[in-house]
């Protein structure tokens, strides 16, 4: 996973059953073939009727249909929020310093 929404697919093995792109191709073919053994996989793939696509205004964003994986990550909101707030406060102080420097430099220019 590159991030929680983006996955880099491998194609490292000659045997299609041993690489992700081969698995995707196999899933596609089982879906496409009448009588195939296709099954929806939550957070991975879903076959939906066109009526469902119409309900969602024909937006084809995959997560609308397959969802996102349930992840048990160690995300701590309070910790992350506190860090972001501190970073913003530092950036605001830097903004004030830079604005003063710009104003001082502009004042030195004689027209």
């Amino acid at each position: 996973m590159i991030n929680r929404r983006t996955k880099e697919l491998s194609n490292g093995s000659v045997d299609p059953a041993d690489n992700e792109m081969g698995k995707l191709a196999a899933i596609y073919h089982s879906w496409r073939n009448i009588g195939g053994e296709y099954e929806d996989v939550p957070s991975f793939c879903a076959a939906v009727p066109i009526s469902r696509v119409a309900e969602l205004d024909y937006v084809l964003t995959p997560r609308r249909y397959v969802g996102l994986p349930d992840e048990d990550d160690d995300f701590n909101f309070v910790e992350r929020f506190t860090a972001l707030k501190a970073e913003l406060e530092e950036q605001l102080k830097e903004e004030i310093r830079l604005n003063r420097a710009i104003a001082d430099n502009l004042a030195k220019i004689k027209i």
Side-chain angles (χ1 to χ4, degrees):
M1 297 295 292
I2 294 173
N3 58 44
R4 61 183 285 210
R5 294 187 182 123
T6 307
K7 180 174 178 69
E8 186 173 347
L9 301 175
S10 69
N11 192 18
S13 173
V14 176
D15 182 4
D18 291 338
N19 67 65
E20 292 167 329
M21 293 178 80
K23 289 177 185 175
L24 283 173
I27 289 169
Y28 167 77
H29 289 294
S30 70
W31 169 80
R32 188 73 179 140
N33 294 328
I34 296 173
E37 297 179 17
Y38 171 82
E39 290 184 26
D40 288 349
V41 178
S43 79
F44 184 71
C45 62
V48 297
I50 193 70
S51 59
R52 176 70 178 136
V53 177
E55 286 173 21
L56 296 172
D57 294 324
Y58 299 95
V59 176
L60 299 178
T61 306
R63 73 169 183 229
R64 291 178 178 243
Y65 305 97
V66 299
L68 289 174
D70 293 331
E71 294 180 6
D72 293 330
D73 58 14
D74 56 353
F75 181 78
N76 182 322
F77 175 79
V78 173
E79 182 180 298
R80 182 71 174 137
F81 179 79
T82 303
L84 288 172
K85 183 179 175 192
E87 183 180 343
L88 175 62
E89 289 169 354
E90 288 301 314
Q91 289 173 346
L92 291 173
K93 288 177 188 175
E94 179 70 2
E95 176 190 18
I96 292 168
R97 186 188 70 74
L98 291 172
N99 284 338
R100 282 189 195 134
I102 291 169
D104 290 346
N105 286 330
L106 287 174
K108 294 176 186 176
I109 298 173
K110 295 180 183 177
I111 298 179

